[in-house]
Amino acid sequence: MAAIAIAAMLAPGGSFAEGPPAVQHAPGSALGVNVAQSPDMSRIEFRFPGGATFTSHRDGQTLTLHFSRYLKPDMTRLRVDPPKFLKSADDRNAGGLEITLTLADGADAKVGQGDGVIYVNLFAANTPAATQQASTAAPAGRPNPVPDTGVVKASFDVSASQVVVHFPWKGPLGAAVFRRGDAIWMVFDAAAKLDLAAAPHGDARLASAQVIQGADYTALRIPAAAGESYAAGGQGGEWTLTLSQNALPAPDPVKIARDDSTGEGQLQVAVAGSTRIIWMNDPVVGDRIGVVTALAPAKGLPSRREYVDLALLASAQGLAIEPIADDITATTDGDLVIIGRPRGLALSGKPGDQMASDGPGLPQPAARPGLVDFDSWSKTGSGGFLARYDALQAAAGDEEGRGKDAPMTVRMGFARFLVGSELSFEAIGFLDLSAKAQPNLLGDPEFRGLRGAAKAMAGRYKEAQAELSVPVLADDPASALWRGYVDVKLNQWADARAQFQKGSAAFSQFNARWRARFARADAEAALNLNQLQLADAEAAVAVANDPDPVEDLATRLVQARVFEAEGQKDRALGMYEAIARVELGWLSAPALLHATQIKLAQGKLTPIQAADVLDGLRYRWRGDATELETIRTLSQIYLSLGRYREALDALRSAGQHLPDLPEAVDLQNDLAAAFRNLFLEGEADGLQPVQALALFYDFKDLTPIGADGDLIVRKLARRLVDVDLLGQAADLLKYQEENRLDGVPKAEVAADLATIDVMNRQPEAALDALNESRTTVLPTSLAAQRRVIESRAWLMLGQYDHATEIIQGDRSADADGVRAEVAWRKHDWAGSAGQLEATLGDRWKNAAPLSTEEEGRLLRVAVSLSLANDDAGLARLRERYQGFVAHAQNPDALRVALAGIEPGQASTSDIARVAAENDTFIGWVQAMKQRFRETPSNQTVAANAASNKG
């Protein structure tokens, strides 16, 4: 059995009892003897420097181990304080070391060798040893992060001052990075082989790096000088370790607080996304250390923290525990790591682009309204472009100067010249001015066809679509080609295909360039409708119609997409990479995008490398669907890497850009889905609560309307309560109550808000929350909850009569608790004793140790009975609860209180102080926290409300 099993043994009741091994290692001895103990098993380890062979013999309850050589062992712990299941131990020199272990009655043993030690596991004879094995499966809810090969091949980036080691795991996993003495450790919470073959030659640190393989963890120990900096980074399944001669940024700090939920003597560390606690051997020191692994992003402890019983090592990720006492325990509860000892830690007090023209004649109308005679209309003659332009413009001006009744012959000829020369914006402006001078032009098919074509060439697709859809152009095949072209630009693929079919009669009348463009657009539409054979044929038509290299590249880009859709990924990738090298952004940008997508899918690029490429691309090329697709792909990569803020920022910026494109709608949907997944499906759980809160506040406009939005807020608030961020939790619920809810859901949220306010010692705020949410009809349980919390708020304000009046007739345990508190504060000792004893009920029949709240009540009952001179009641109380004293958190105080207090006895004030308001309030706060954890957020009235305010 792996040594790590001790930290994850299945305890009675089906929970994992995670705790460190109790280590006893004599620093000066040649043979290390380590001892570890848990409720269900004890373990003894013998570590021979240079190794040793051994045999074992069992005779009844006597187990004899004979080692091939003799070294003097340190048997102090085994003899003075034998671990569970061991009665005694002895050693002697018998041609080698011989150790005799006498097992306790009913105990069994298993002897083995692994991880450099010879061990003996002791356990109850009726407990199968298999149940003691540590699980090597991935933590629940996460896919196995180990590559299919079982090997993680590290890669190295080396510069003059630093080395960055990349560990590409298959999926997300927890890690820890810390310094201990002259070494830097990196621990992963999954078992795989680390391949360091690519390490740079000549690097002494990496050459002497040691891989430590556990049954369900992998660790790397790298010797490093004291002044060397280190940092950790994690994105998805890739972790990095940076070693540098220069200072590196400190990690986000984890929060350490004193935990008073079970009395004094515990530390509570908020390690967001913590996955496991691993107890492992340090091969150099010879002792054990506890390692808390956590999901990315990195968070750690910037400096070492020393305590009497343990030390918390400086870390760049996760947490490392160096026990000093031999019975240090550590457990995880979500983001919280609780460190303690059976009898408590010894802690101090609480802290805080000209062409030429002559005048070859006025451009004449084409055969169809929407047909543009590019070759004829754009002729300039020997005078060049400017001379032609000036001559036509002057003639148009002369015609206009004749007044409103002047014909439009010259002006329309000038418009044809502008459109045929593809001076689209000039054509639009001139045609708009002409329509103002002659409004009847709006019913002229040629006018509408020219302006529609000009707007299509200008990229004003929505306007072009409206222009070309007028009834006078409905039966014009040339206009249908323009409509199909515009529909493609607007991603209206089915409409585009219908229009291209309708315009086939006019296709041959356009010049070669526009035939190629129309055919290419038709190919795009067919591609997006998955008509791949048609798309391939139309792309071939486009290639055959225009020898212009730029147009040819544009068509090749579409062909590459067809190949990609057909599954010819490598052929498509070669075309994309060739096109991506041209210095025309409208071609190279989409080519680079698609090439990156293919490489990412084929594993030729890591997600981080792909993100770097796409991040540069989205700033280099902007303004069309390529930008939106780039951002969408980039955001998906960011989300997979856990870079949530960058993903949401990218999606939101794109949603405000190019809103008329269909891709913008998809992006908005992606944005909403990403926000929901982060805060509703738990993808942001790896963030520290404060980081999650900041992320929520920065993007709270994305909170969905309705029950899902309310559930997001409530889940986040409950997470904040867990780590005592009560003010922030209250702010969240207050916004919810004031802006999003009405009626019963509002009253329910207000009850939670008021509870948190009272926990935060803000009774006035609690009363305000309740008063602002009053309604006539409430579920009985909710009404009772609101009365009790209102009563407790008045109690905190010293309004005792008002507090009891509110809960008059309420016989619930919560109401009785308030009445008992009132009686205590009013020095009504008899009433206090009766009320408090009633809240305890038949607790004395359950032998489990008392909780903080229960012990506080019992103390108060005893003190009240003494001060009320109720000897019989005190005797009854003593008879029922005397057996709880030994395991109490304050045994001395409880023992004295149950014995009774004589009038004028000096310890009376001491006992009263022990049972003071603060302790019972702490117990009530812990009970409320537990209630928040246990109430499913999606089963609340507010979460299922049918109507909400936006």
Side-chain angles (χ1 to χ4, degrees):
M1 189 189 317
I4 192 66
I6 296 177
M9 271 192 287
L10 190 62
S15 61
F16 280 94
E18 296 185 278
V23 178
Q24 280 288 343
H25 184 195
S29 67
L31 174 62
V33 180
N34 298 332
V35 179
Q37 181 173 303
S38 77
D40 293 331
M41 191 177 82
S42 296
R43 183 181 178 95
I44 307 169
E45 295 182 348
F46 305 95
R47 183 180 297 275
F48 273 82
T53 59
F54 75 101
T55 59
S56 64
H57 174 71
R58 174 87 176 265
D59 183 8
Q61 293 302 95
T62 302
L63 175 64
T64 304
L65 304 177
H66 186 87
F67 300 90
S68 60
R69 58 199 184 92
Y70 180 83
L71 289 175
K72 178 63 178 174
D74 178 13
M75 301 289 286
T76 304
R77 168 69 189 274
L78 298 180
R79 290 171 178 160
V80 175
D81 184 15
K84 190 174 182 180
F85 307 114
L86 180 68
K87 184 178 294 184
S88 63
D90 201 358
D91 69 289
R92 69 191 185 98
N93 189 343
L97 175 62
E98 184 176 284
I99 293 181
T100 302
L101 303 176
T102 303
L103 279 58
D105 295 336
D108 202 350
K110 178 177 177 147
V111 183
Q113 185 170 9
D115 294 332
V117 300
I118 298 164
Y119 63 83
V120 179
N121 288 338
L122 304 176
F123 43 86
N126 60 351
T127 301
T131 64
Q132 308 297 330
Q133 300 295 330
S135 171
T136 61
R142 283 198 287 123
N144 191 343
V146 180
D148 297 336
T149 61
V151 178
V152 177
K153 295 185 177 181
S155 61
F156 301 78
D157 296 332
V158 182
S159 63
S161 61
Q162 70 178 29
V163 175
V164 180
V165 190
H166 300 263
F167 300 93
W169 292 80
K170 182 179 179 181
L173 77 165
V177 176
F178 56 94
R179 174 184 282 278
R180 191 181 193 210
D182 59 352
I184 293 170
W185 289 71
M186 190 162 195
V187 181
F188 302 101
D189 68 356
K193 180 179 179 180
L194 290 186
D195 185 352
L196 306 179
H201 297 293
D203 192 318
R205 300 166 303 182
L206 299 174
S208 56
Q210 181 178 4
V211 176
I212 301 168
Q213 187 67 66
D216 53 354
Y217 69 90
T218 307
L220 179 64
R221 183 183 183 278
I222 304 176
E228 186 158 19
S229 299
Y230 64 104
Q235 296 177 354
E238 177 161 332
W239 281 96
T240 60
L241 171 63
T242 302
L243 306 175
S244 178
Q245 301 299 323
N246 303 319
L248 294 171
D252 288 338
V254 298
K255 179 183 177 182
I256 303 175
R258 181 183 182 130
D259 178 22
D260 291 304
S261 61
T262 59
E264 294 186 355
Q266 288 194 152
L267 291 177
Q268 176 178 280
V269 189
V271 184
S274 61
T275 58
R276 308 179 39 198
I277 299 176
I278 299 171
W279 291 92
M280 56 188 296
N281 291 320
D282 186 326
V284 174
V285 179
D287 63 351
R288 294 254 179 148
I289 53 177
V291 180
V292 181
T293 56
L295 301 174
K299 76 285 293 182
L301 192 62
S303 60
R304 179 183 175 99
R305 301 289 182 88
E306 296 274 2
Y307 299 89
V308 174
D309 302 318
L310 74 148
L312 299 180
L313 306 182
S315 64
Q317 161 68 4
L319 193 68
I321 306 167
E322 183 179 85
I324 297 174
D326 61 4
D327 57 349
I328 296 297
T329 64
T331 60
T332 60
D333 182 9
D335 291 342
L336 303 180
V337 177
I338 308 300
I339 305 171
R341 296 181 66 186
R343 293 185 176 274
L345 297 173
L347 301 175
S348 60
K350 301 179 184 178
D353 147 249
Q354 169 179 105
M355 295 182 65
S357 175
D358 184 342
L362 196 66
Q364 297 301 307
R368 303 177 186 277
L371 181 61
V372 178
D373 190 347
F374 288 99
D375 294 335
S376 297
W377 291 356
S378 61
K379 290 180 179 178
T380 60
S382 59
F385 176 81
L386 289 177
R388 176 67 167 165
Y389 182 94
D390 290 342
L392 288 174
Q393 185 180 45
D398 289 343
E399 184 179 72
E400 183 181 8
R402 300 178 202 169
K404 289 194 283 185
D405 298 328
M408 291 293 297
T409 307
V410 178
R411 283 175 279 181
M412 287 298 292
F414 183 43
R416 298 182 194 109
F417 169 75
L418 294 174
V419 174
S421 301
E422 298 194 35
L423 297 173
S424 53
F425 291 100
E426 291 85 345
I428 294 169
F430 181 76
L431 289 168
D432 287 346
L433 289 174
S434 299
K436 288 183 179 180
Q438 298 278 4
N440 59 323
L441 283 174
L442 295 175
D444 181 78
E446 184 190 15
F447 175 87
R448 302 302 290 260
L450 286 176
R451 195 159 71 170
K455 290 181 177 180
M457 288 186 280
R460 294 160 64 168
Y461 301 121
K462 284 286 189 180
E463 296 177 32
Q465 190 177 58
E467 200 77 53
L468 295 163
S469 298
V470 295
V472 293
L473 297 177
D475 297 325
D476 176 32
S479 297
L481 290 175
W482 286 111
R483 287 194 294 269
Y485 179 80
V486 168
D487 287 339
V488 167
K489 298 301 183 181
L490 295 176
N491 291 11
Q492 297 170 5
W493 315 116
D495 291 340
R497 281 292 303 125
Q499 293 300 323
F500 281 127
Q501 289 175 345
K502 189 175 180 180
S504 60
F507 182 79
S508 62
Q509 295 178 280
F510 282 88
N511 68 355
R513 172 169 297 188
W514 277 95
R515 289 198 301 272
R517 290 176 177 175
F518 290 145
R520 183 167 66 244
D522 196 7
E524 285 191 64
L527 170 63
N528 284 280
L529 293 173
N530 204 32
Q531 299 172 4
L532 302 184
Q533 188 174 0
L534 177 59
D536 203 1
E538 288 296 327
V541 170
V543 170
N545 269 280
D546 193 355
D548 181 88
V550 173
E551 294 295 326
D552 182 68
L553 282 173
T555 303
R556 299 300 182 184
L557 181 59
V558 176
Q559 281 187 318
R561 293 178 54 199
V562 174
F563 295 150
E564 182 181 358
E566 292 174 340
Q568 302 180 59
K569 303 290 185 180
D570 293 334
R571 187 178 181 185
L573 179 58
M575 295 176 69
Y576 286 140
E577 290 180 324
I579 298 170
R581 290 192 288 268
V582 304
E583 296 182 359
L584 293 170
W586 63 278
L587 288 174
S588 62
L592 180 58
L593 168 62
H594 288 287
T596 303
Q597 291 172 329
I598 292 177
K599 288 180 179 179
L600 179 61
Q602 293 180 340
K604 296 178 181 179
L605 286 178
T606 66
I608 297 174
Q609 292 169 326
D612 290 341
V613 173
L614 296 178
D615 191 46
L617 178 59
R618 75 179 177 120
Y619 290 110
R620 178 159 61 88
W621 182 254
R622 311 191 69 167
D624 61 7
T626 297
E627 179 193 356
L628 300 186
E629 187 179 354
T630 299
I631 290 174
R632 190 176 188 189
T633 304
L634 177 62
S635 65
Q636 291 168 350
I637 294 174
Y638 280 155
L639 288 172
S640 72
L641 295 175
R643 295 161 63 172
Y644 307 126
R645 180 176 295 278
E646 291 167 277
L648 294 178
D649 275 331
L651 286 169
R652 185 158 66 177
S653 68
Q656 299 166 354
H657 197 43
L658 305 173
D660 294 335
L661 291 181
E663 290 89 350
V665 176
D666 293 336
L667 279 170
Q668 285 297 314
N669 293 336
D670 283 356
L671 180 58
F675 188 85
R676 289 168 57 89
N677 290 337
L678 285 170
F679 293 102
L680 197 58
E681 304 300 330
E683 288 188 8
D685 288 351
L687 297 175
Q688 296 194 54
V690 173
Q691 292 175 312
L693 181 62
L695 189 65
F696 174 82
Y697 273 133
D698 288 346
F699 296 93
K700 68 180 180 181
D701 55 300
L702 301 176
T703 305
I705 301 288
D708 283 350
D710 301 328
L711 180 56
I712 286 172
V713 173
R714 292 169 73 87
K715 289 181 71 172
L716 183 55
R718 291 178 180 190
R719 188 177 177 194
L720 294 171
V721 168
D722 258 353
V723 291
D724 293 322
L725 296 175
L726 301 178
Q728 291 85 342
D731 289 343
L732 274 178
L733 294 181
K734 188 172 181 62
Y735 177 85
Q736 191 85 341
E737 177 204 19
E738 294 178 349
N739 298 280
R740 295 177 58 86
L741 298 171
D742 282 314
V744 174
K746 179 174 181 177
E748 184 180 27
V749 170
D752 285 351
L753 172 59
T755 302
I756 292 172
D757 283 333
V758 172
M759 293 167 67
N760 203 24
R761 300 183 185 272
Q762 301 288 334
E764 296 91 345
L767 293 173
D768 288 343
L770 294 171
N771 291 332
E772 291 170 3
S773 62
R774 296 195 185 278
T775 186
T776 54
V777 179
L778 288 175
T780 303
S781 61
L782 177 58
Q785 178 189 354
R786 287 168 59 90
R787 284 196 302 271
V788 170
I789 196 61
E790 182 179 0
S791 175
R792 190 166 285 277
W794 286 114
L795 172 65
M796 293 182 71
L797 292 172
Q799 301 293 319
Y800 305 137
D801 293 339
H802 199 34
T804 55
E805 182 180 356
I806 291 171
I807 56 174
Q808 187 174 5
D810 187 341
R811 295 305 171 192
S812 67
D814 289 338
D816 288 342
V818 175
R819 280 189 283 268
E821 185 71 23
V822 170
W824 174 270
R825 294 194 183 191
K826 295 174 71 173
H827 294 182
D828 177 6
W829 306 121
S832 172
Q835 294 284 353
L836 287 166
E837 190 170 4
T839 63
L840 287 171
D842 293 335
R843 180 62 178 86
W844 57 278
K845 296 180 179 180
N846 184 348
L850 298 172
S851 68
T852 300
E853 187 178 18
E854 290 168 340
E855 188 173 323
R857 288 187 207 156
L858 179 59
L859 277 169
R860 284 192 173 193
V861 173
V863 172
S864 296
L865 289 171
S866 291
L867 296 177
N869 297 316
D870 187 346
D871 295 336
L874 191 60
R876 180 184 68 251
L877 193 69
R878 185 166 49 249
E879 179 183 352
R880 292 178 174 181
Y881 288 97
Q882 189 68 44
F884 292 87
V885 172
H887 300 289
Q889 298 166 33
N890 294 290
D892 295 336
L894 188 58
R895 184 179 298 106
V896 173
L898 290 174
I901 307 170
E902 296 297 333
Q905 189 174 343
S907 61
T908 300
S909 60
D910 297 332
I911 299 301
R913 175 176 54 80
V914 171
E917 174 190 356
N918 189 58
D919 283 352
T920 56
F921 180 75
I922 290 173
W924 178 81
V925 168
Q926 296 303 320
M928 291 302 100
K929 284 185 177 183
Q930 188 63 31
R931 186 176 296 178
F932 272 116
R933 295 190 193 105
E934 293 174 352
T935 303
S937 299
N938 58 354
Q939 294 181 16
T940 63
V941 175
N944 293 287
S947 60
N948 295 278
K949 295 201 301 182

